């Protein structure tokens, strides 16, 4: 994901900061925890540990961490997760192709 440029969508609910914003990738992603078609992110990343004191910067830091280290116990894209676990070189190749095709 190193050379990629990614656009995110943040939708803040009326009861923000008591409820976390809805965050999605606008840029298509090839990642076990991000839906390719919708950009939906595995919400366990935000909702389970959300507190009203968190800021957008905290969300961005969690996203960077998720991108670097996918969570394989609750993937949104199971085929991509299996590839990540069983064939990391192929996974990395597809990530690079995806980034190249979605700049």
């Amino acid at each position: 994901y190193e050379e990629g440029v990614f656009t995110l969508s943040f939708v803040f609910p009326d009861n923000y900061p008591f409820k976390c914003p809805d965050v999605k990738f606008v840029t298509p992603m090839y990642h076990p925890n991000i839906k390719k078609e919708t950009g939906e992110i595995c919400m366990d990343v935000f909702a389970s540990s959300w507190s009203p004191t968190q800021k957008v910067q905290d969300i961005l830091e969690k996203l960077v961490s998720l991108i670097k280290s996918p969570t394989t116990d609750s993937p949104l894209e199971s085929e991509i997760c299996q590839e990540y676990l069983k064939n990391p070189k192929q996974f990395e190749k597809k990530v690079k192709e995806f980034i190249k095709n979605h700049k």
Side-chain angles (χ1 to χ4, degrees):
Y1 304 98
E2 189 172 298
E3 298 192 19
V5 176
F6 309 104
T7 302
L8 296 164
S9 166
F10 283 79
V11 177
F12 293 88
D14 292 338
N15 57 350
Y16 176 83
F18 299 103
K19 185 178 178 206
C20 66
D22 181 31
V23 183
K24 293 183 180 181
F25 276 88
V26 176
T27 306
M29 295 289 289
Y30 191 84
H31 191 280
N33 304 115
I34 302 165
K35 278 285 197 189
K36 281 193 298 184
E37 298 83 26
T38 64
E40 174 187 353
I41 302 165
C42 181
M43 283 311 293
D44 292 346
V45 174
F46 307 119
S48 63
S49 63
W50 183 256
S51 76
T53 59
Q54 290 184 310
K55 299 177 177 114
V56 171
Q57 179 178 342
D58 299 317
I59 293 171
L60 294 173
E61 289 172 0
K62 284 183 181 183
L63 283 174
V64 169
S65 178
L66 179 69
I67 289 172
K68 287 181 179 180
S69 303
T71 57
T72 57
D73 55 337
S74 60
L76 289 177
E77 294 282 0
S78 56
E79 288 181 26
I80 295 174
C81 184
Q82 289 304 309
E83 183 178 58
Y84 171 77
L85 293 170
K86 295 179 179 178
N87 194 346
K89 288 186 182 193
Q90 180 66 19
F91 170 79
E92 198 170 308
K93 180 181 175 187
K94 285 186 180 177
V95 167
K96 289 178 182 180
E97 288 173 8
F98 222 72
I99 289 170
K100 182 181 175 184
N101 292 332
H102 295 97
K103 279 191 175 185

